[in-house]
Structures are given as C-alpha cells and as structure tokens.
Amino acid sequence: MTAAPTVAVIGAGNWGTTLAHLVARNGHPTRLWTREPAQRDELNGRHSNEKAITGLTVDARVSATCEATEALDGATLVLMAIPSQAFRQVCRTLAPIIQPEQLVIHGTKGLEQHTHLRMSEILQAETCVRQLGVLAGPNIAAEVSQGKPAGTVVASRFPAVIAAGRAALSCPQLMVFAGRDVLGTELAGALKNVIAIAAGMVDEMGMGDNAKAFLVTRGMSELMRLCAAMGAEPWTLAGLAGIGDLIVTCASPLSRNHRLGVALARGQTLQAALTSIGMVAEGVFACRSARALARAHGLELPVFERVDRILHEGLAPGEALAEIMRLPAGRDVPSFAPASGGRSPGPTGR
Amino acid sequence: MTAAPTVAVIGAGNWGTTLAHLVARNGHPTRLWTREPAQRDELNGRHSNEKAITGLTVDARVSATCEATEALDGATLVLMAIPSQAFRQVCRTLAPIIQPEQLVIHGTKGLEQHTHLRMSEILQAETCVRQLGVLAGPNIAAEVSQGKPAGTVVASRFPAVIAAGRAALSCPQLMVFAGRDVLGTELAGALKNVIAIAAGMVDEMGMGDNAKAFLVTRGMSELMRLCAAMGAEPWTLAGLAGIGDLIVTCASPLSRNHRLGVALARGQTLQAALTSIGMVAEGVFACRSARALARAHGLELPVFERVDRILHEGLAPGEALAEIMRLPAGRDVPSFAPASGGRSPGPTGR
C-alpha cells in the first residue's frame, strides 16, 4: 500500500483550516501554512483555530507552520484558501519555492481589484505552476467542519488535479464532483456575490419572495451571458459552483454579501455597512469587476450595473429595483451554442 | 383607440382570481369562471374571494360567472388556472364552446396523474384550441395580488399568444418575459415541486444550507437531463420558470410542497402529512410522473427517484440522503448540444 501523498494548505482562515482538517482525516500528512505565529502555535498546541472557526477540534495530524518552504516541501497537492486581495502577495511568497510538478487547487471566490483577474491567472503570472484547478460550490465552512453533508466541485483541465483533489477531500460527508471549466467556475464563484448583495437588499426592503427570485434569476441570466462572452461554458452556472453556491449565499443569514445588502437597504453607507459586518465582502470588489468586464465585452447587465451603482455611486436600492422593473421585458433565457458549436450567443433577452 | 379585448379567466382559485384582477385593472373586460355559485356571488357582490385569496379587493371590472358560454363569449384570450387533476374535466366543459381562433394560456404547474401528460397536451386532445401557451415563474399569488414586484414568463410558439398575454398582464409590478419552449416550461413548473419536497425534508432534518443547496442543484441537473431527453430546451431551466420558480418554492414557508417535505421528515405518513397541509401538493403526483418519464427515457435520476420512494414506498428521508451521498460523484454539470445541433446529450455526470 502506498502512503497517502502529502498535502499543503495555504491559508488558515475558516475554509483553509476546514480543508486541512478534512485532508488530514483522510490520512494525508497535512501542512497548514499561516502568516501568524500565534495561530500556528494554537493549531499545533491546542488543535484549534478559534478566531477562524469556533469550536472545531482540528485533526491532530494537521501540522501548522509559518514557513512556506516547510509547508510545500514534498507536497504533491497544494490547496490555496487566501482572500482574493491577498492572493497575489501570497503567490509571490510561494513563487521561489513552489515546483512546476506540484498540483495546485485554489478555493478563492473573488477577482483581483482593478485588474479584474481571476486567481488562476494570478497564479500563472506569478509562479511556475501550470497544473491547476479551482474548488467551488455551496460550502459554508462551519457546516463542512461540523461534518454536515455537502457537495463541491474541482474544475481543472488536468485529470491529475481532479484526481488529487478528490483523493484529498472526498469523504462520506463531502461529494467531490468534477468540472472542466476553470474560467466559468472562477467567474461564478466571484460574481455570484453581487447577486447575493441584491438578494439581501430585496429581503430587507420586504419586497417579497417573488421579487427576490426574479432578481436572482435575472442576475444569473446576466452572469451566464458574461461567462459565455468571456469564453466560459455557460452550463457551469447550472452546477454546484453556480446556482448551488448562489442558493446558499442568497439564503443563508451567515453570508457576508447578503448581510451587506441588508445593511445597505437599511440606508447605511457602504463604509458603515462594511464596518458593521466586520469582514470583507467579496461582492464589493466583484460588482466593480463585473461592470468593467461587461463593458469590455459590450454587454448590458442591468442587475449587476445597479448593484455597483448602489455600492459605489449612491443609487438608492428602491430606485434601482424600480429602474429594473421599467426595462423592456424581452426573452426569458438567453440561448447559447455550445463552446464547440461555433455559433455566437443568440438574442440576449434582457 | 381600440377597446382592450375581452379576457376570460377559467378558475377562481388564488391564482385565477389574481390573474383576473390584474387583467381587469389593465382595462380589459374580464370574465372569471367558477363552478361555485357562492363564489360567483361573493365576487360580483362584495368583490372578494376570501376562501381563495384573503384580503384582496378584486377589481370591480371582474365579472364572475358559472356559465362557460358567458365566460368565453367574445374573449380573445382565455387564461386557465385549474389544478392539474381537474384540468381534463374542465377542458371537456369548455370543448363544445371554445373556438379555434381563441388564444389560450394556462398557468397550471402539474402533470396529469397516471398519463403523465402536460396540460397543453390535454388541452389539445380535448379541444379545438391550437394557439396556446403557458404562464410560469416565481409567482406566489398572495404577493402578486398585493402589488409586490414579480417577473413571469409566457412561453408559446405563437407570437400572438405572447403578445396577448403581455397586453393582458404586464403592469409596473409584473414584468412578462417571453419564451418559446412550452414543453420545458411545463415540465419545469410541474417537476420542480419534487425538488421542493426534498428541500423541505433537508430543512427539517437540520442537515444545513450546504446539503439543501447540494440536493436542489443535483435535482435541477436531473431535471435538465430529463427535459433534454424529452426534447425541451434545457436552457429553459435556467430561467424564471426553472430556477426562478424553484428558488421561491424551496425558500418560501408558504410552499405546500416544501411543507410536505417538512412533515414527512418529521415522520408523518404521506396521508397524515397531506391532511395536515390541507391542500393538494402537486409534487405528490409529480414524483410519480418524473420517475415514469425517466424510466421511459432510460435515465437514472437519483434525487427524483428517492423522493418518490420516500412518498410512495416508505423509504426513510435520512436513508435516502445517505444513499445519494454514497453514489459515485461524476461530472458536476451535464453538457448539452442545442436543440438544433443534432448532438445527443453528453456524459450525464451523475
């Protein structure tokens, strides 16, 4: 019997810590990298990481370290769980050490501010990594760490990456599905947060479940058109990384982006709303990126545009919804050719 | 200026009454057909229909009648809002009267028990109607009648049907989108109720938001495969009649199907659960139909099959979820060729 290969997890937030716990429980020697010595000591000494994920007793086989060299040494698979705006800096830390044969899967749901780049693009720009994938889906870390059932996706063009991700993470409580569309999976994970902000606003305004479902569905339709225009497979949006993640993000009171929408609909400024949440909501950057990407691809995305104008240009949420309701109602769903079909997207049906 | 054409609404339940109210408010002479003289008298006398939709003051231009001849006479457009299991009987009542030039849109979300036929098939089998369409989407009647914002879809192969539906129903609170896929829209409306039952079960079992999003997404993926196999456009599932309606049905405590799932997960028998809900839950029939249709098309649909076995064969909800979690995790999303592409559906990725 071969020993299970070593896995490095980069980032000891709630998701990184949860991933390390799952991997170690599956019998893999597991290193968890964190910048903070206090976090490392807590993990190695008390097998906990209370600030990141309250109440979890981390599998004792997780070994935490602040040294990237130690974390990566001999690791077949590297899992990255780093906030999007810190992702490039961490890549630069890893760059001198990481090896081209190491497989990398990141689980970051966001785009880089200003550049609008995806995490896989940053990883490839900053390091020698080539065999990469992305992990996404409806995965609230607190639930996964408690052993509640969930499904997730590893998307990659490399079968070895998918196989390694499955071997490390699959367990009776976590089904790991396979995808091929890295681009679509990354866009879905990042941009669904904008739709979650809109859902939070509608909830707080008491507009009802119909209005919420309407805006979420129209937002998804806009996201599908953007993904298709950028070369992704629009079907990806129908999977766990798309509607799956969206359902969790829009429904759960734990979602930061949903809570941001609630706070804004109460009339708080963006700054005050972010302070009250006390955490970064990826959607704040993502709506800027979505609007820039839409413009670059010549698309009009009414829901995305209005969330951005609410957050960054002071549009009132109620007025935004009224504007959307005054738009001409076109086709319900866009029609797409498959990536291989060579047809351009059909009428966009706003 | 031409006078607005006359509209007949068949069925004075909560949805039919709401539709009649909207149509009349848009200035159309509106007849509302009901079997029950007491309901007719209440509508014509007090402009209310308390048993069907509490608190709504129905527009005074709605004229209720128990005579189908009177309801249909001179009506350009006929809107049908009849429970699926009574649909054929009502069609037989209308058959001797309805004219082939009358446009018909039905808003019934269900399939006929045992035959598994769609309402448009029954309508065509029983009457001379040919220019027909279907109305579907995330439309809780109570919210629409209160003037809360919503979006809906009229799907039809006949532009005249879509135009008539829009003219009758569009208003600042209701955006009416267009679709072409009658088959897919009917299947989505009927079969999403099965997924809502599953969602109610997971909620009640305390399995968490991840598990709920997982099952709902896998259920949608199964529904897309079934729709594609039956010749529908799988993209329809991405629209208001698909994920839009599903979001409302799975989230709202008002949904009968969701409540049925909750009751079953508490250990109630199907009969006891239905009695406690006090209304028909379309999903009870729909899961039988889904399973029969899947068998007929050679498909395995694990979520649909298990909901049916829970309802009709006594499978325990907890065991059903455990069975699903033990299945091999394949591809996340099916890949489809467009209807015109002539390719068969790709790997189904259970």
Side-chain angles (χ1 to χ4, degrees):
Chain A
M1 214 181 97
T2 329
T6 300
V7 176
V9 179
I10 306 299
N14 61 358
W15 193 220
T17 305
T18 298
L19 292 175
H21 175 66
L22 293 180
V23 171
R25 227 179 34 187
N26 274 345
H28 296 264
T30 307
R31 286 78 165 273
L32 177 56
W33 179 84
T34 167
R35 267 186 205 291
E36 298 182 32
Q39 209 168 28
R40 174 200 60 197
D41 295 344
E42 185 190 348
L43 279 159
N44 289 336
R46 297 203 301 277
H47 307 298
S48 69
N49 189 358
E50 284 296 320
K51 244 174 53 186
I53 189 148
T54 311
L56 175 65
T57 302
V58 179
D59 191 286
R61 289 163 287 187
V62 172
S63 156
T65 174
C66 293
E67 301 301 323
T69 313
E70 196 183 328
L72 293 179
D73 183 44
T76 306
L77 174 66
V78 180
L79 299 174
M80 292 185 69
I82 295 289
S84 59
Q85 307 315 319
F87 199 88
R88 186 181 292 274
Q89 194 49 54
V90 171
C91 284
R92 288 180 179 164
T93 303
L94 304 183
I97 309 160
I98 203 161
Q99 300 297 314
E101 70 273 15
Q102 289 184 306
L103 312 176
V104 178
I105 298 173
H106 80 80
T108 300
K109 294 169 180 173
L111 301 173
E112 190 177 51
Q113 206 176 355
H114 307 305
T115 66
H116 317 306
L117 289 171
R118 296 172 288 115
M119 299 304 112
S120 66
E121 293 177 299
I122 296 172
L123 198 52
Q124 289 182 90
E126 297 288 348
T127 73
C128 61
V129 168
R130 287 300 168 265
Q131 297 186 72
L132 55 80
V134 53
L135 176 74
N139 302 139
I140 299 172
E143 291 190 2
V144 174
S145 72
Q146 288 161 25
K148 292 189 172 177
T152 194
V153 187
V154 173
S156 177
R157 291 172 45 232
F158 300 91
V161 170
I162 292 172
R166 283 186 156 158
L169 295 169
S170 293
C171 62
Q173 288 78 39
L174 185 65
M175 285 183 84
V176 182
F177 291 83
R180 284 181 305 201
D181 180 16
V182 173
L183 170 60
T185 304
E186 288 184 304
L187 290 174
L191 299 180
K192 64 101 181 42
N193 290 322
V194 179
I195 304 175
I197 294 174
M201 289 179 192
V202 176
D203 276 346
E204 178 60 23
M205 292 192 291
M207 290 294 180
D209 289 331
N210 289 347
K212 181 177 173 180
F214 167 66
L215 277 181
V216 167
T217 307
R218 299 306 298 164
M220 274 303 275
S221 177
E222 293 177 16
L223 188 45
M224 285 180 179
R225 290 197 283 130
L226 179 60
C227 284
M230 293 178 70
E233 168 58 66
W235 278 113
T236 300
L237 278 293
L240 290 168
I243 61 170
D245 200 6
L246 187 67
I247 289 169
V248 151
T249 309
C250 291
S252 177
L254 301 173
S255 156
R256 304 165 198 184
N257 292 288
H258 186 277
R259 282 160 59 199
L260 176 63
V262 168
L264 291 167
R266 284 182 185 155
Q268 291 190 22
T269 63
L270 178 57
Q271 210 44 61
L274 287 174
T275 306
S276 72
I277 293 169
M279 292 191 283
V280 176
E282 290 278 3
V284 176
F285 311 117
C287 63
R288 298 257 80 174
S289 293
R291 202 167 166 193
L293 292 169
R295 209 160 23 221
H297 292 276
L299 296 176
E300 269 191 53
L301 306 181
V303 174
F304 277 85
E305 180 194 317
R306 278 166 185 81
V307 173
D308 186 59
R309 284 171 51 206
I310 291 168
L311 265 66
H312 300 289
E313 297 172 11
L315 177 65
E319 176 53 27
L321 180 59
E323 279 183 17
I324 288 170
M325 296 293 296
R326 282 196 296 268
L327 293 171
R331 285 273 303 284
D332 174 39
V333 281
S335 63
F336 297 107
S340 58
R343 276 173 31 194
S344 62
T348 51
R350 196 186 58 192
Chain B
M1 215 180 92
T2 328
T6 299
V7 176
V9 179
I10 306 299
N14 61 358
W15 192 220
T17 305
T18 298
L19 292 175
H21 175 65
L22 293 180
V23 171
R25 228 179 34 185
N26 275 346
H28 296 265
T30 307
R31 287 77 165 275
L32 178 56
W33 179 84
T34 167
R35 269 186 203 289
E36 298 182 32
Q39 208 169 28
R40 174 200 60 198
D41 295 344
E42 184 190 348
L43 278 159
N44 290 336
R46 297 203 302 276
H47 308 298
S48 68
N49 189 358
E50 284 297 320
K51 244 174 54 187
I53 188 152
T54 311
L56 175 66
T57 302
V58 179
D59 191 287
R61 289 162 287 187
V62 172
S63 158
T65 174
C66 293
E67 300 301 323
T69 315
E70 196 182 330
L72 292 179
D73 182 44
T76 306
L77 174 66
V78 181
L79 299 175
M80 293 185 66
I82 296 287
S84 58
Q85 307 315 320
F87 199 89
R88 186 181 293 274
Q89 194 48 53
V90 172
C91 284
R92 287 179 179 164
T93 303
L94 304 182
I97 309 160
I98 203 161
Q99 302 296 313
E101 69 273 16
Q102 291 184 305
L103 312 176
V104 178
I105 298 173
H106 82 81
T108 299
K109 293 170 181 171
L111 301 174
E112 191 177 48
Q113 207 175 354
H114 306 304
T115 67
H116 318 306
L117 290 171
R118 296 173 288 117
M119 300 303 113
S120 66
E121 293 177 301
I122 296 173
L123 197 52
Q124 289 181 90
E126 297 287 349
T127 74
C128 62
V129 168
R130 288 299 169 266
Q131 297 185 72
L132 56 80
V134 53
L135 177 72
N139 303 140
I140 299 172
E143 290 189 2
V144 174
S145 73
Q146 288 162 23
K148 291 188 174 179
T152 195
V153 187
V154 174
S156 177
R157 289 172 47 230
F158 301 91
V161 171
I162 291 172
R166 282 186 156 157
L169 294 169
S170 292
C171 62
Q173 288 77 39
L174 186 64
M175 285 182 86
V176 182
F177 291 83
R180 285 180 304 200
D181 180 16
V182 174
L183 170 60
T185 305
E186 288 183 305
L187 290 174
L191 299 181
K192 63 102 182 47
N193 290 322
V194 180
I195 304 175
I197 294 174
M201 290 180 194
V202 176
D203 277 347
E204 178 60 21
M205 292 192 290
M207 290 295 180
D209 289 331
N210 289 348
K212 182 177 175 182
F214 167 66
L215 277 181
V216 168
T217 307
R218 298 307 298 165
M220 275 302 275
S221 177
E222 293 178 16
L223 189 44
M224 285 179 178
R225 289 197 281 132
L226 179 60
C227 284
M230 293 179 68
E233 167 58 65
W235 278 112
T236 301
L237 277 292
L240 290 168
I243 60 170
D245 200 6
L246 187 67
I247 288 169
V248 151
T249 309
C250 291
S252 177
L254 301 174
S255 156
R256 303 165 201 185
N257 292 289
H258 186 277
R259 282 160 58 200
L260 176 63
V262 169
L264 291 168
R266 283 181 186 155
Q268 291 190 22
T269 63
L270 178 57
Q271 210 43 62
L274 287 173
T275 306
S276 72
I277 293 167
M279 293 192 284
V280 176
E282 291 278 4
V284 176
F285 310 118
C287 62
R288 298 258 81 174
S289 294
R291 201 166 165 195
L293 293 169
R295 210 162 19 222
H297 293 276
L299 296 176
E300 268 191 53
L301 307 181
V303 174
F304 277 86
E305 182 195 317
R306 280 169 184 78
V307 174
D308 186 58
R309 283 170 53 203
I310 291 168
L311 264 66
H312 300 289
E313 297 172 11
L315 177 65
E319 177 53 26
L321 179 60
E323 279 183 16
I324 288 171
M325 296 294 295
R326 281 196 296 268
L327 293 171
R331 284 272 305 281
D332 174 38
V333 281
S335 64
F336 297 107
S340 59
R343 277 175 26 194
S344 62
T348 51
R350 194 184 60 191

